[in-house]
Amino acid sequence: MKKIFILASVSILIGSCATETKTEAIEVTPEQLHRSVDKVVEIMIHDIFSPPVASRIFAYPNIAAYEIMALNNDEYLSLEGQVGQLGAIPKPDSTKTVNYDVAAMVAHLELSKRLIFSEKRLETFRDSLYGIWQGKNPELFNDSKDYGLQVADFVGAWMNKDNYPQTRTMPKFTVDTDDPTRWQPTPPAYIEAIEPHWNKIRPFVIDSANQFKPAPPYPFSLEKESAFYKELKEVYDVGKKIEKEGDDSEEIQIAQFWDCNPYVSVTRGHLMFATKKISPGAHWIGIAKIASRKTNSDFAKTVYAYTKTSIAIADAFISCWDEKYRSNLIRPETLINQHIDENWQPVLQTPPFPEYTSGHSVVSGAAATALTDIFGDNFYFDDDTEVAYGLPVRSFNSFREAADEAAISRMYGGIHYRMAIEVGVKQGRDLGKFVIDNLKMTRDSHMASNP
């Protein structure tokens, strides 16, 4: 009888411990979100997404996570009615207890999985996180997961109405070989123009793709006194100067740091292969991560930072690509090889789309404006985004300074005229200001605009 009593007591004690474990609180850390974003970027590099498509992959998962977070946090405002016809997300079942941070992460991971190709790579990472949270409190985790998936379905349905599926079946871009002013494919792979219909993607905050239509490029002319030819010659002269200075020159280091070309063709004899890197948007998402870590931002502010930055980046690509295929301007490399020096090569490989305006300039201007609004001006940071690709850390005194360097890097790389850079930065900054003025995401910003 005594043995039975002892066994029963032990059983009750074990059962009690098990019950306590199953009701343990689940904490989602900013670092888990950073790791999730890093994993998605890693897979995007593997799958080779073009820069505009990559911007879409960032935006929707972040919006889904943000909407769930804002539903349970009085400091943040819903994007309902503010972003591209987005309606109110469904609310959780009132009979269930939901951890909103877990639900936000589930929605983020689920939508990311739908937008990439290598799903298994993300599922392995996702399951490792799920195992941690489920082990703390299975019932709470499962209810939170169910709600996160519900919101992912809602945002996914809204996402699928942004005209992206339709652009997959639209005609390919036709190269006008009879017009010397128009873009032509560039060496070494002579890839066809990517995403010629990106201006048809539904914008997030801007009114339309052409809302921030920039001034047109200088009139095409090969007369040596013309503004256009002077800009062409400047690209050539800068390239020759860099060539003389060698690989250790500051200009080459800047060009390589901001290269961010997801697909660089390499030819060795009869063999051609690609080296893969992050996109321009991914670099600025990396800077958002750096700023969040430096400021010890909590989970909510980290989601906010990623979301606002990714929205600015996505609209910047829509705006930039609208101009690229309107002006359809020929790249410096093509004209220099035709009219100045047939053996000249740019420091960087010319990307496969028209020249004007510079995508790096527009996107960097917009992203830097959004990040300045979040973290403040004169925000010093060490940018280690490119360390994984063998490049050293570069330091900046502000996001604006980083954007200016990203823009001029395209001149050093030999792939853009000065006007595309300078007008592009203004285009991006104007767009970024419009985003922060019209996207009310925090209670303070709403009160400031509605005193």
Side-chain angles (χ1 to χ4, degrees):
M1 195 68 178
K2 191 173 181 182
K3 287 184 180 179
I4 294 173
F5 176 76
I6 293 171
L7 287 172
S9 299
V10 171
S11 298
I12 291 169
L13 182 61
I14 291 172
S16 173
C17 291
T19 302
E20 286 181 19
T21 301
K22 289 182 180 179
T23 58
E24 187 179 345
I26 302 175
E27 180 188 7
V28 178
T29 67
E31 201 55 37
Q32 288 171 329
L33 177 57
H34 293 320
R35 286 171 50 212
S36 297
V37 172
D38 286 346
K39 176 56 67 172
V40 173
V41 170
E42 175 191 311
I43 295 168
M44 288 165 65
I45 294 168
H46 175 271
D47 290 348
I48 310 178
F49 288 101
S50 69
V53 175
S55 73
R56 182 175 182 265
I57 296 173
F58 287 123
Y60 286 108
N62 283 326
I63 289 171
Y66 175 86
E67 284 298 274
I68 294 173
M69 178 276 292
L71 195 62
N72 192 49
N73 192 317
D74 290 339
E75 291 184 35
Y76 298 95
L77 303 173
S78 170
L79 300 177
E80 175 193 355
Q82 297 194 74
V83 172
Q85 303 168 350
L86 175 65
I89 62 171
K91 292 183 170 53
D93 186 336
S94 60
T95 66
K96 304 287 180 67
T97 301
V98 168
N99 181 308
Y100 287 82
D101 292 352
V102 170
M105 287 290 294
V106 168
H108 189 281
L109 287 161
E110 176 62 24
L111 276 177
S112 296
K113 185 167 75 74
R114 297 181 190 184
L115 287 163
I116 58 172
F117 299 142
S118 302
E119 296 181 5
K120 290 293 182 186
R121 287 172 176 253
L122 187 58
E123 287 172 357
T124 300
F125 172 81
R126 176 202 66 188
D127 292 347
S128 68
L129 284 180
Y130 284 3
I132 294 170
W133 298 328
Q134 190 169 36
K136 291 179 179 294
N137 191 323
E139 184 177 355
L140 177 60
F141 169 75
N142 289 330
D143 288 346
S144 304
K145 177 185 174 185
D146 289 344
Y147 178 57
L149 293 175
Q150 184 184 5
V151 174
D153 286 341
F154 177 87
V155 174
W158 167 66
M159 173 184 75
N160 289 334
K161 295 177 182 176
D162 71 352
N163 214 35
Y164 177 80
Q166 288 77 7
T167 61
R168 302 306 90 189
T169 61
M170 290 178 181
K172 292 183 178 181
F173 181 74
T174 302
V175 177
D176 186 352
T177 55
D178 295 328
D179 188 338
T181 73
R182 301 305 184 189
W183 178 84
Q184 298 175 28
T186 49
Y190 297 92
I191 300 171
E192 63 186 28
I194 64 168
E195 300 301 339
H197 305 290
W198 201 253
N199 66 342
K200 298 177 179 66
I201 299 295
R202 178 187 61 205
F204 289 89
V205 180
I206 60 175
D207 299 336
S208 63
N210 65 0
Q211 181 180 356
F212 290 93
K213 178 181 177 182
Y218 289 128
F220 180 88
S221 173
L222 295 177
E223 294 293 327
K224 292 189 177 180
E225 296 306 312
S226 68
F228 182 86
Y229 185 84
K230 287 178 180 177
E231 291 220 336
L232 174 66
K233 187 65 162 48
E234 181 184 22
V235 177
Y236 175 72
D237 291 341
V238 168
K240 295 299 286 184
K241 174 179 175 291
I242 290 172
E243 185 182 338
K244 275 186 182 178
E245 292 175 352
D247 292 345
D248 293 332
S249 73
E250 178 74 356
E251 292 89 349
I252 282 187
Q253 290 179 27
I254 289 172
Q256 291 175 340
F257 186 79
W258 293 101
D259 184 12
C260 303
N261 187 343
Y263 185 96
V264 176
S265 299
V266 179
T267 304
R268 290 180 184 166
H270 297 293
L271 179 66
M272 178 175 282
F273 58 94
T275 59
K276 304 175 185 180
K277 302 177 185 177
I278 57 174
S279 65
H283 192 133
W284 281 99
I285 290 293
I287 292 174
K289 176 181 69 176
I290 291 166
S292 297
R293 279 177 170 162
K294 182 175 180 181
T295 54
N296 294 316
S297 294
D298 61 14
F299 180 79
K301 186 172 181 180
T302 302
V303 172
Y304 162 61
Y306 277 133
T307 304
K308 194 168 198 173
T309 305
S310 64
I311 288 173
I313 289 169
D315 271 358
F317 271 109
I318 292 170
S319 175
C320 181
W321 253 242
D322 178 62
E323 178 56 39
K324 279 187 179 295
Y325 287 94
R326 177 174 35 249
S327 53
N328 189 17
L329 185 61
I330 194 166
R331 288 277 185 172
E333 180 176 14
T334 306
L335 289 179
I336 290 171
N337 288 161
Q338 288 176 348
H339 301 284
I340 299 177
D341 182 349
E342 64 180 8
N343 296 314
W344 183 87
Q345 291 182 326
V347 170
L348 302 179
Q349 193 169 114
T350 302
F353 36 81
E355 193 272 346
Y356 190 82
T357 47
S358 157
H360 267 60
S361 303
V362 179
V363 169
S364 297
T369 302
L371 285 164
T372 299
D373 186 60
I374 299 164
F375 296 104
D377 204 355
N378 302 316
F379 186 96
Y380 179 89
F381 65 98
D382 296 319
D383 187 352
D384 61 358
T385 309
E386 299 288 337
V387 168
Y389 311 100
L391 297 171
V393 172
R394 293 190 68 81
S395 299
F396 301 97
N397 293 305
S398 67
F399 301 115
R400 185 183 183 92
E401 182 180 270
D404 286 340
E405 184 177 283
I408 197 62
S409 75
R410 314 314 274 169
M411 166 75 75
Y412 300 152
I415 59 181
H416 274 296
Y417 310 110
R418 182 174 292 278
M419 188 177 184
I421 293 165
E422 295 178 350
V423 174
V425 170
K426 182 180 186 304
Q427 181 183 354
R429 286 187 174 133
D430 289 348
L431 183 150
K433 186 176 187 307
F434 182 86
V435 168
I436 64 175
D437 286 348
N438 289 273
L439 193 61
K440 304 306 176 186
M441 298 178 72
T442 63
R443 192 70 58 186
D444 289 344
S445 66
H446 179 71
M447 295 298 290
S449 60
N450 295 279

